[in-house]
Amino acid sequence: MKIIHASPLFRMLLPFVGGLLLASQVPQLSWCLVIALPLMGTGIILDKRMISFLWEHGMWMLVSLSFLFMGALVWQVDEMNQPTDLEAANCRELEMAVVLEEPVALKKFGAESVGHLVGIRHNGEWIEVDATIVLSWTQNSAVPPAQAFDSLYISGFLTNIYTSSEKYRAYLDRKGLNYRVYVKETEWGGAHQGLEAQAFRVQQLLSDRLGWLIGGDQLAAIGQAMFLGEKSHLSKATRKKVAAAGVSHILAISGLHVGIIFLLINWLLMPLNLWKYGSRARNLLILVVLLVYMFVTGASPAVIRAVVMLGTVVIFRLLYQRYHLLNLVALAAFIQLLWNPQTLYEIGFQLSYCAVCGILLLYPVFEQAVKSPYPALNKLYGWMGVSITATLATFPLCWYYFGQFPTYFLLSNVLLTTLSFILVLVGFLTVCCSSIPYLAELLGMSCHWLLYAFDKVVTWIASLPHAVITEFSWDQPEVWILFAELAIAGLLFILPKLLLPKKQEEWDMGVVPG
């Protein structure tokens, strides 16, 4: 495809990711690759005939091999720096220093949290370690009212995590969780400091204020998740119906939200263009707002990808340079994978990049195939096209990880796209103005009723018959409903060409009607 050939960074990303996958799945083979490729490169440099051949026929092959080698090398270096193996301390009672990664949550059996183990006390001295562990308190233990980034000194029994569930095992492996500590005694060690911890506290402060302004337990929880990425207050019922309606991407902070905020800030700062250096000042302020928003919302893979992409657009504007969106996607992926290669196996990372690449690669083809001479119809087609192309790109991953697919995904996205756009705008303004009397209350009330409408539409779609496909079989009515939905959409796409063939023919030939 022309778009891929015009995106050299994207073409380099593919062998780089291949090198990461090779190194993670076949470590012995990847080490051979790490050793063999530099030797091969040296041989090529010393052989003038090989240089001439590659220059004429296969320079891109050499570049691809180099990035394959780079991916394998980056993974191997990261493996050397992985958290401490605690096997020597397994099945022992220990004194440990832990920094919590999430609040302590009450469970049926007691309480649980995930923490970063930073030290173990041995023979009266603290030994520095680096590992992620699950902390479990029984019903008889004193459970501390601790939040994320609080430091705890605990004594407890360390053991491996055993499970017969393959999916749960895969989840634990992706999180790097191999050990559990059954806590006997807990002592609070104070609030952990640092940029990430401060960002979390700001998020909690804004989340509490936003919840008070919006009101309504689950409406406030949806708003907190949608505007700030705080999902701890969402009930299982709300999560389930949002997934059944196929709009989980709207509820989670993603590139959609960052893009809307980018457009809003860009519009609000337009008056700066009246100043001589206003254009550059506006772009710098946009960059600062995006970075602050990224940290406050937890810096998920989707948000980092969107902020890096849009931040690069801003930088290119400052430098008056041209850019290609697919190259910016690849640049964002390179930065995230070089910073942490393990991110490659995070579900959020995979879904985020598959969705945006699907839109960039497939949507132009879709748009060209269904364009009509009617702007309003094209806008409707655009909403449907973005949903269809993103869904096609992410469907294999969704089915592999979750084993289900929303039957009415197209209906829900068409109905909720405009509403979610308005919701994110009003929600972001509510967060920014949350300390301004009267205005904050007015915006909070607006959010409440918009979220009420959003929740009602989601509830209605989730309650429709056969809303979730759990098995692709012709015996399942859900599959027939899905195909009927796609057939209706296809009919809408070709209807203008069937009813007004002459007008459509003129449009295709470049003669704009009227």
Side-chain angles (χ1 to χ4, degrees), residues 1 11 39 52 100 149 209 223 296 369 414 429 444 448 468 500:
M1 297 175 67
R11 295 170 68 190
L39 295 176
S52 176
L100 296 183
F149 297 101
R209 178 65 177 168
V296 169
V414 170
L429 288 173
H448 177 91
V468 177
L500 300 165

Side-chain angles (χ1 to χ4, degrees), residues 291-313:
L291 290 173
V292 170
Y293 186 72
M294 178 181 72
F295 282 105
V296 169
T297 55
S300 67
V303 175
I304 294 174
R305 187 259 308 157
V307 169
V308 170
M309 282 182 61
L310 294 174
T312 308
V313 169

Side-chain angles (χ1 to χ4, degrees), residues 233-249:
H233 302 296
L234 284 172
S235 67
K236 288 185 178 180
T238 300
R239 293 173 186 266
K240 187 176 180 179
K241 70 181 180 183
V242 167
V247 290
S248 297
H249 62 287

Side-chain angles (χ1 to χ4, degrees), residues 39-318:
L39 295 176
M40 186 177 68
T42 304
I44 290 172
I45 292 172
L46 296 176
D47 191 336
K48 294 182 178 179
R49 290 174 298 177
M50 183 61 72
I51 294 175
S52 176
F53 174 80
L54 287 172
W55 186 261
E56 292 179 10
H57 304 286
M59 183 55 71
W60 190 253
M61 181 180 69
L62 180 61
V63 172
S64 299
L65 288 173
S66 300
F67 275 87
L68 184 72
F69 153 71
M70 187 188 301
L73 182 61
V74 166
W75 185 273
Q76 294 296 348
V77 171
D78 183 71
E79 282 290 299
M80 294 181 200
N81 298 320
Q82 279 301 298
T84 310
D85 185 7
L86 298 175
E87 199 58 40
N90 191 21
C91 299
R92 292 176 56 189
E93 188 173 332
L94 303 166
E95 292 183 44
M96 293 163 276
V98 178
V99 177
L100 296 183
E101 293 186 358
E102 57 186 45
V104 176
L106 296 177
K107 304 286 184 179
K108 292 181 180 179
F109 57 82
E112 189 173 276
S113 182
V114 175
H116 187 70
L117 181 61
V118 295
I120 294 177
R121 192 166 187 172
H122 182 66
N123 295 331
E125 295 184 358
W126 285 100
I127 301 172
E128 185 177 345
V129 295
D130 179 17
T132 304
I133 57 174
V134 178
L135 301 170
S136 296
W137 287 265
T138 63
Q139 292 179 341
N140 299 324
S141 302
V143 180
Q147 297 294 319
F149 297 101
D150 281 357
S151 299
L152 298 178
Y153 294 101
I154 62 174
S155 63
F157 191 79
L158 181 80
T159 181
N160 284 112
I161 298 177
Y162 297 101
T163 176
S164 58
S165 170
E166 292 184 6
K167 287 189 175 182
Y168 186 56
R169 180 74 264 167
Y171 165 79
L172 293 173
D173 290 341
R174 285 196 302 271
K175 294 289 185 180
L177 296 171
N178 295 307
Y179 299 95
R180 181 187 299 273
V181 174
Y182 293 95
V183 182
K184 293 176 63 179
E185 297 181 2
T186 309
E187 180 184 346
W188 189 65
H192 187 66
Q193 302 303 316
L195 182 60
E196 192 176 1
Q198 295 300 331
F200 173 78
R201 293 185 186 107
V202 171
Q203 182 195 43
Q204 294 301 303
L205 182 66
L206 292 173
S207 178
D208 292 341
R209 178 65 177 168
L210 187 66
W212 181 81
L213 289 170
I214 294 174
D217 290 342
Q218 280 310 294
L219 292 183
I222 293 172
Q224 290 165 335
M226 189 179 290
F227 310 142
L228 291 169
E230 172 56 67
K231 298 181 181 180
S232 61
H233 302 296
L234 284 172
S235 67
K236 288 185 178 180
T238 300
R239 293 173 186 266
K240 187 176 180 179
K241 70 181 180 183
V242 167
V247 290
S248 297
H249 62 287
I250 294 177
L251 194 61
I253 296 288
S254 65
L256 170 69
H257 301 70
V258 179
I260 292 172
I261 290 167
F262 174 83
L263 293 174
L264 175 64
I265 299 299
N266 195 45
W267 177 73
L268 290 175
L269 297 177
M270 284 292 286
L272 285 177
N273 285 345
L274 300 174
W275 178 40
K276 181 180 179 181
Y277 302 104
S279 178
R280 293 198 169 190
R282 183 183 63 165
N283 286 322
L284 287 174
L285 284 171
I286 291 172
L287 191 58
V288 170
V289 170
L290 290 178
L291 290 173
V292 170
Y293 186 72
M294 178 181 72
F295 282 105
V296 169
T297 55
S300 67
V303 175
I304 294 174
R305 187 259 308 157
V307 169
V308 170
M309 282 182 61
L310 294 174
T312 308
V313 169
V314 171
I315 293 171
F316 274 56
R317 279 183 180 179
L318 289 169

Side-chain angles (χ1 to χ4, degrees), residues 16-48:
F16 179 78
V17 170
L20 292 175
L21 291 171
L22 180 66
S24 64
Q25 299 301 319
V26 194
Q28 298 81 3
L29 184 60
S30 66
W31 272 118
C32 294
L33 184 67
V34 168
I35 296 170
L37 281 178
L39 295 176
M40 186 177 68
T42 304
I44 290 172
I45 292 172
L46 296 176
D47 191 336
K48 294 182 178 179

Side-chain angles (χ1 to χ4, degrees), residues 371-382 503 507 512-513:
K371 67 177 181 179
S372 77
Y374 306 100
L377 198 58
N378 286 332
K379 190 164 291 187
L380 174 63
Y381 288 172
K503 201 169 189 178
W507 175 264
V512 181

Side-chain angles (χ1 to χ4, degrees), residues 291-483:
L291 290 173
V292 170
Y293 186 72
M294 178 181 72
F295 282 105
V296 169
T297 55
S300 67
V303 175
I304 294 174
R305 187 259 308 157
V307 169
V308 170
M309 282 182 61
L310 294 174
T312 308
V313 169
V314 171
I315 293 171
F316 274 56
R317 279 183 180 179
L318 289 169
L319 301 175
Y320 303 104
Q321 298 293 320
R322 297 174 61 187
Y323 55 87
H324 194 291
L325 286 177
L326 205 55
N327 277 333
L328 298 188
V329 173
L331 177 63
F334 268 121
I335 291 172
Q336 286 184 262
L337 292 173
L338 287 172
W339 181 264
N340 181 13
Q342 303 289 336
T343 307
L344 181 64
Y345 284 97
E346 291 185 9
I347 298 175
F349 177 89
Q350 295 174 12
L351 290 174
S352 172
Y353 280 93
C354 281
V356 74
C357 288
I359 293 170
L360 291 176
L361 294 173
L362 300 177
Y363 182 74
V365 179
F366 173 88
E367 185 181 35
Q368 185 66 26
V370 303
K371 67 177 181 179
S372 77
Y374 306 100
L377 198 58
N378 286 332
K379 190 164 291 187
L380 174 63
Y381 288 172
W383 293 340
M384 297 173 71
V386 169
S387 177
I388 290 173
T389 52
T391 302
L392 284 175
T394 57
F395 167 71
L397 286 175
C398 291
W399 187 258
Y400 175 75
Y401 286 120
F402 308 117
Q404 66 177 42
F405 186 77
T407 308
Y408 304 102
F409 79 96
L410 195 53
L411 174 64
S412 58
N413 279 274
V414 170
L415 292 177
L416 294 172
T417 298
T418 303
L419 181 58
S420 62
F421 184 89
I422 298 171
L423 251 175
V424 173
L425 286 178
V426 177
F428 183 69
L429 288 173
T430 306
V431 172
C432 293
C433 304
S434 59
S435 299
I436 302 176
Y438 303 114
L439 178 59
E441 284 79 0
L442 178 62
L443 290 170
M445 188 183 300
S446 302
C447 275
H448 177 91
W449 290 110
L450 287 169
L451 286 167
Y452 178 80
F454 177 88
D455 184 60
K456 285 298 180 183
V457 175
V458 169
T459 303
W460 172 67
I461 294 173
S463 65
L464 290 174
H466 312 292
V468 177
I469 299 173
T470 56
E471 181 183 352
F472 269 91
S473 169
W474 295 115
D475 297 332
Q476 303 298 318
E478 298 92 341
V479 176
W480 288 102
I481 294 172
L482 177 62
F483 277 106

